[in-house]
């Protein structure tokens, strides 16, 4: 039953024109940044620290230039279309006519959104790694923010950890966006509300700035020894947002 729901959700997701359009825009941005990397050779850990792109640091730096699009275009569009667009169009009513448990359906939709972002990150990581190997200056070691000098294996592990933390942040963005998409009356307002919440988080607390500047925050966290960012902040936010999601999802009158 769960597998059938998951496959059905995947099929509906990839049949939407918005999905194809957003993926096409992201692919175009990826190609543009690739070209820019080759020409410029300089990127930034954050606004105050520039760095030369080399064969070992290109993957994290490529994601830095693309993370804004993922946070403010890709995820809000996907989530609004999945959680709100199907409801307002009536497609979700057809799904709920069948004896599917609401909680299962929510987790299937949420998991599909996470899978989409995971695939995008994998493609970006592969593109960034290949970019470094193929066209950027070859080095045996590279230095990341905070003065951490790493060799080939260390840089690879750093890159994977960097992408992993970014993925966790993107999951939190998906969870927050899904709450707002269920509450808003149409997908446009859902998209705007998600963007507003992400920007507004900066004014709520400096600790939430990672929602606005994802990769800059991750670079800073990785530069700190024994950072407990995931345990103390991100995971609690993710857990609370999922609990709220389940409450709202179960109380929502989908078929009335």
């Amino acid at each position: 039953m769960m597998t059938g729901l998951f496959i059905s959700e995947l099929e509906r997701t990839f049949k939407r024109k918005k999905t194809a359009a957003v993926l096409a825009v992201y692919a175009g941005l990826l190609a543009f940044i690739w070209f820019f990397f080759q020409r410029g050779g300089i990127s930034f850990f954050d606004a105050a620290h520039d760095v030369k792109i080399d064969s070992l640091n290109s993957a994290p730096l490529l994601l830095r230039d693309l993370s804004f699009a993922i946070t403010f275009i890709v995820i809000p569009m996907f989530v609004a279309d999945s959680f709100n667009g199907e409801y307002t169009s009536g497609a979700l009513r057809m799904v709920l006519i069948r004896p599917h448990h609401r909680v299962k359906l929510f987790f299937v939709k949420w998991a599909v959104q996470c899978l989409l972002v995971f695939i995008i990150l994998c493609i970006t990581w592969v593109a960034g790694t290949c970019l470094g190997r193929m066209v950027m200056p070859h080095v045996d070691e590279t230095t990341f923010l905070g003065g951490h000098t790493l060799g080939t294996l260390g840089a690879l592990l750093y890159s994977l950890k960097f992408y992993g933390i970014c993925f966790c942040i993107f999951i939190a963005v998906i969870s927050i966006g899904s709450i707002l998409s269920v509450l808003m009356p149409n997908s446009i307002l859902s998209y705007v509300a998600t963007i507003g919440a992400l920007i507004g988080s900066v004014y709520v607390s400096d600790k939430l700035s990672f929602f606005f500047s994802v990769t800059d925050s991750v670079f800073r966290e990785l530069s700190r020894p024994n950072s407990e960012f995931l345990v103390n902040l991100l995971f609690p936010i993710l857990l609370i947002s999922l609990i709220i999601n389940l409450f709202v999802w179960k109380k929502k009158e989908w078929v009335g």
Side-chain angles (χ1 to χ4, degrees):
M1 178 69 73
M2 199 76 167
T3 303
L5 274 175
F6 188 82
I7 294 174
S8 176
E9 179 65 21
L10 272 178
E11 290 176 347
R12 293 199 307 276
T13 298
F14 282 102
K15 284 181 180 178
R16 298 183 195 121
K17 293 181 179 179
K18 286 183 182 178
T19 301
V22 172
L23 291 176
V25 169
Y26 185 78
L29 286 173
L30 182 60
F32 175 79
I33 297 299
W34 177 295
F35 177 79
F36 177 79
F37 265 37
Q38 294 182 71
R39 295 291 182 179
I42 298 292
S43 186
F44 301 87
F45 290 129
D46 57 29
H49 300 87
D50 60 354
V51 58
K52 291 184 178 180
I53 308 169
D54 57 48
S55 59
L56 298 182
N57 66 15
S58 56
L61 293 174
L62 180 63
L63 181 57
R64 183 191 184 276
D65 285 354
L66 290 164
S67 62
F68 189 87
I70 297 175
T71 307
F72 290 95
I73 298 176
V74 175
I75 293 177
M77 288 288 288
F78 281 165
V79 172
D81 214 27
S82 175
F83 286 88
N84 186 285
E86 284 194 349
Y87 168 60
T88 54
S89 68
L92 192 58
R93 293 181 180 87
M94 299 302 295
V95 177
L96 288 170
I97 287 175
R98 301 177 182 179
H100 299 310
H101 196 285
R102 288 188 176 192
V103 172
K104 287 184 179 179
L105 184 57
F106 164 74
F107 275 114
V108 163
K109 296 178 78 64
W110 181 81
V112 167
Q113 297 304 306
C114 293
L115 177 62
L116 284 173
V117 173
F118 180 76
I119 292 172
I120 287 172
L121 288 180
C122 286
I123 293 173
T124 305
W125 182 82
V126 170
T129 302
C130 291
L131 171 67
R133 298 293 182 183
M134 292 169 54
V135 300
M136 303 314 298
H138 177 78
V139 295
D140 295 323
E141 59 182 26
T142 190
T143 302
F144 290 98
L145 185 66
H148 300 298
T149 300
L150 302 173
T152 302
L153 179 59
L156 174 62
L157 295 176
Y158 181 99
S159 175
L160 293 174
K161 186 175 182 180
F162 181 89
Y163 272 72
I165 296 175
C166 287
F167 180 55
C168 291
I169 296 175
F170 291 142
I171 291 176
V173 174
I174 290 170
S175 301
I176 293 170
S178 63
I179 296 172
L180 296 171
S181 294
V182 171
L183 296 175
M184 293 294 107
N186 59 62
S187 56
I188 295 177
L189 288 177
S190 299
Y191 178 83
V192 173
T194 302
I195 299 300
L198 295 175
I199 296 175
S201 65
V202 178
Y203 298 96
V204 174
S205 172
D206 290 341
K207 293 182 178 180
L208 299 178
S209 62
F210 62 87
F211 281 125
F212 184 78
S213 55
V214 176
T215 51
D216 289 21
S217 299
V218 176
F219 275 127
R220 287 195 295 270
E221 289 302 323
L222 290 177
S223 70
R224 299 168 181 167
N226 304 318
S227 172
E228 297 183 349
F229 165 73
L230 289 175
V231 176
N232 293 339
L233 187 59
L234 186 56
F235 286 163
I237 290 174
L238 180 56
L239 179 60
I240 292 171
S241 63
L242 285 176
I243 292 173
I244 296 174
N245 258 307
L246 292 175
F247 176 80
V248 173
W249 186 264
K250 292 174 71 174
K251 295 296 182 180
K252 178 77 173 181
E253 185 56 57
W254 296 107
V255 294

PDB file of all heavy atoms in Angstrom, residues 5-16:
ATOM      1  N   LEU A   5       1.335   4.084  -3.001  1.00  0.00           N
ATOM      2  CA  LEU A   5       1.121   5.513  -2.783  1.00  0.00           C
ATOM      3  C   LEU A   5       2.337   6.322  -3.213  1.00  0.00           C
ATOM      4  O   LEU A   5       2.212   7.381  -3.833  1.00  0.00           O
ATOM      5  CB  LEU A   5       0.825   5.779  -1.307  1.00  0.00           C
ATOM      6  CG  LEU A   5      -0.616   5.646  -0.820  1.00  0.00           C
ATOM      7  CD1 LEU A   5      -0.674   5.817   0.686  1.00  0.00           C
ATOM      8  CD2 LEU A   5      -1.518   6.657  -1.499  1.00  0.00           C
ATOM      9  N   PHE A   6       3.513   5.825  -2.870  1.00  0.00           N
ATOM     10  CA  PHE A   6       4.757   6.524  -3.191  1.00  0.00           C
ATOM     11  C   PHE A   6       4.943   6.615  -4.706  1.00  0.00           C
ATOM     12  O   PHE A   6       5.263   7.689  -5.238  1.00  0.00           O
ATOM     13  CB  PHE A   6       5.943   5.789  -2.562  1.00  0.00           C
ATOM     14  CG  PHE A   6       7.240   6.522  -2.672  1.00  0.00           C
ATOM     15  CD1 PHE A   6       7.562   7.533  -1.783  1.00  0.00           C
ATOM     16  CD2 PHE A   6       8.144   6.209  -3.678  1.00  0.00           C
ATOM     17  CE1 PHE A   6       8.758   8.218  -1.883  1.00  0.00           C
ATOM     18  CE2 PHE A   6       9.348   6.882  -3.786  1.00  0.00           C
ATOM     19  CZ  PHE A   6       9.657   7.890  -2.889  1.00  0.00           C
ATOM     20  N   ILE A   7       4.732   5.514  -5.389  1.00  0.00           N
ATOM     21  CA  ILE A   7       4.873   5.506  -6.855  1.00  0.00           C
ATOM     22  C   ILE A   7       3.839   6.428  -7.500  1.00  0.00           C
ATOM     23  O   ILE A   7       4.139   7.173  -8.437  1.00  0.00           O
ATOM     24  CB  ILE A   7       4.741   4.072  -7.399  1.00  0.00           C
ATOM     25  CG1 ILE A   7       5.906   3.217  -6.906  1.00  0.00           C
ATOM     26  CG2 ILE A   7       4.695   4.076  -8.929  1.00  0.00           C
ATOM     27  CD1 ILE A   7       5.800   1.758  -7.261  1.00  0.00           C
ATOM     28  N   SER A   8       2.617   6.396  -6.976  1.00  0.00           N
ATOM     29  CA  SER A   8       1.559   7.261  -7.496  1.00  0.00           C
ATOM     30  C   SER A   8       1.910   8.731  -7.321  1.00  0.00           C
ATOM     31  O   SER A   8       1.712   9.547  -8.226  1.00  0.00           O
ATOM     32  CB  SER A   8       0.241   6.943  -6.796  1.00  0.00           C
ATOM     33  OG  SER A   8      -0.784   7.830  -7.212  1.00  0.00           O
ATOM     34  N   GLU A   9       2.444   9.077  -6.151  1.00  0.00           N
ATOM     35  CA  GLU A   9       2.837  10.458  -5.893  1.00  0.00           C
ATOM     36  C   GLU A   9       3.982  10.878  -6.802  1.00  0.00           C
ATOM     37  O   GLU A   9       4.002  12.018  -7.322  1.00  0.00           O
ATOM     38  CB  GLU A   9       3.244  10.624  -4.430  1.00  0.00           C
ATOM     39  CG  GLU A   9       3.701  12.018  -4.038  1.00  0.00           C
ATOM     40  CD  GLU A   9       2.625  13.068  -4.131  1.00  0.00           C
ATOM     41  OE1 GLU A   9       1.433  12.699  -4.103  1.00  0.00           O
ATOM     42  OE2 GLU A   9       2.970  14.263  -4.232  1.00  0.00           O
ATOM     43  N   LEU A  10       4.939   9.989  -7.017  1.00  0.00           N
ATOM     44  CA  LEU A  10       6.037  10.285  -7.934  1.00  0.00           C
ATOM     45  C   LEU A  10       5.520  10.553  -9.345  1.00  0.00           C
ATOM     46  O   LEU A  10       5.952  11.499 -10.015  1.00  0.00           O
ATOM     47  CB  LEU A  10       7.029   9.117  -7.963  1.00  0.00           C
ATOM     48  CG  LEU A  10       8.165   9.115  -6.942  1.00  0.00           C
ATOM     49  CD1 LEU A  10       8.998   7.856  -7.109  1.00  0.00           C
ATOM     50  CD2 LEU A  10       9.040  10.351  -7.079  1.00  0.00           C
ATOM     51  N   GLU A  11       4.600   9.720  -9.795  1.00  0.00           N
ATOM     52  CA  GLU A  11       4.053   9.882 -11.146  1.00  0.00           C
ATOM     53  C   GLU A  11       3.326  11.214 -11.282  1.00  0.00           C
ATOM     54  O   GLU A  11       3.503  11.930 -12.277  1.00  0.00           O
ATOM     55  CB  GLU A  11       3.101   8.722 -11.456  1.00  0.00           C
ATOM     56  CG  GLU A  11       3.795   7.382 -11.646  1.00  0.00           C
ATOM     57  CD  GLU A  11       2.825   6.247 -11.860  1.00  0.00           C
ATOM     58  OE1 GLU A  11       1.603   6.455 -11.614  1.00  0.00           O
ATOM     59  OE2 GLU A  11       3.259   5.157 -12.265  1.00  0.00           O
ATOM     60  N   ARG A  12       2.519  11.563 -10.281  1.00  0.00           N
ATOM     61  CA  ARG A  12       1.794  12.832 -10.340  1.00  0.00           C
ATOM     62  C   ARG A  12       2.761  14.008 -10.305  1.00  0.00           C
ATOM     63  O   ARG A  12       2.562  15.024 -10.989  1.00  0.00           O
ATOM     64  CB  ARG A  12       0.802  12.947  -9.172  1.00  0.00           C
ATOM     65  CG  ARG A  12      -0.333  11.957  -9.230  1.00  0.00           C
ATOM     66  CD  ARG A  12      -1.519  12.393  -8.360  1.00  0.00           C
ATOM     67  NE  ARG A  12      -1.136  12.686  -6.997  1.00  0.00           N
ATOM     68  CZ  ARG A  12      -1.002  11.773  -6.044  1.00  0.00           C
ATOM     69  NH1 ARG A  12      -1.216  10.490  -6.330  1.00  0.00           N
ATOM     70  NH2 ARG A  12      -0.671  12.107  -4.812  1.00  0.00           N
ATOM     71  N   THR A  13       3.822  13.875  -9.529  1.00  0.00           N
ATOM     72  CA  THR A  13       4.804  14.957  -9.414  1.00  0.00           C
ATOM     73  C   THR A  13       5.492  15.229 -10.743  1.00  0.00           C
ATOM     74  O   THR A  13       5.614  16.385 -11.176  1.00  0.00           O
ATOM     75  CB  THR A  13       5.856  14.614  -8.342  1.00  0.00           C
ATOM     76  OG1 THR A  13       5.212  14.491  -7.070  1.00  0.00           O
ATOM     77  CG2 THR A  13       6.920  15.699  -8.258  1.00  0.00           C
ATOM     78  N   PHE A  14       5.933  14.171 -11.403  1.00  0.00           N
ATOM     79  CA  PHE A  14       6.690  14.362 -12.642  1.00  0.00           C
ATOM     80  C   PHE A  14       5.801  14.631 -13.851  1.00  0.00           C
ATOM     81  O   PHE A  14       6.300  15.003 -14.913  1.00  0.00           O
ATOM     82  CB  PHE A  14       7.589  13.153 -12.901  1.00  0.00           C
ATOM     83  CG  PHE A  14       8.836  13.155 -12.058  1.00  0.00           C
ATOM     84  CD1 PHE A  14       8.933  12.346 -10.932  1.00  0.00           C
ATOM     85  CD2 PHE A  14       9.897  13.978 -12.374  1.00  0.00           C
ATOM     86  CE1 PHE A  14      10.068  12.354 -10.147  1.00  0.00           C
ATOM     87  CE2 PHE A  14      11.045  13.996 -11.590  1.00  0.00           C
ATOM     88  CZ  PHE A  14      11.131  13.185 -10.474  1.00  0.00           C
ATOM     89  N   LYS A  15       4.495  14.467 -13.694  1.00  0.00           N
ATOM     90  CA  LYS A  15       3.574  14.808 -14.774  1.00  0.00           C
ATOM     91  C   LYS A  15       3.191  16.285 -14.758  1.00  0.00           C
ATOM     92  O   LYS A  15       2.637  16.787 -15.733  1.00  0.00           O
ATOM     93  CB  LYS A  15       2.310  13.946 -14.674  1.00  0.00           C
ATOM     94  CG  LYS A  15       2.505  12.508 -15.147  1.00  0.00           C
ATOM     95  CD  LYS A  15       1.203  11.713 -15.039  1.00  0.00           C
ATOM     96  CE  LYS A  15       1.405  10.284 -15.520  1.00  0.00           C
ATOM     97  NZ  LYS A  15       0.161   9.478 -15.389  1.00  0.00           N
ATOM     98  N   ARG A  16       3.483  16.958 -13.651  1.00  0.00           N
ATOM     99  CA  ARG A  16       3.134  18.373 -13.559  1.00  0.00           C
ATOM    100  C   ARG A  16       4.071  19.211 -14.420  1.00  0.00           C
ATOM    101  O   ARG A  16       5.281  19.020 -14.413  1.00  0.00           O
ATOM    102  CB  ARG A  16       3.210  18.850 -12.103  1.00  0.00           C
ATOM    103  CG  ARG A  16       2.249  18.162 -11.168  1.00  0.00           C
ATOM    104  CD  ARG A  16       2.356  18.758  -9.766  1.00  0.00           C
ATOM    105  NE  ARG A  16       1.718  17.880  -8.788  1.00  0.00           N
ATOM    106  CZ  ARG A  16       2.316  17.341  -7.749  1.00  0.00           C
ATOM    107  NH1 ARG A  16       3.593  17.601  -7.515  1.00  0.00           N
ATOM    108  NH2 ARG A  16       1.656  16.558  -6.920  1.00  0.00           N
TER     109      ARG A  16
END
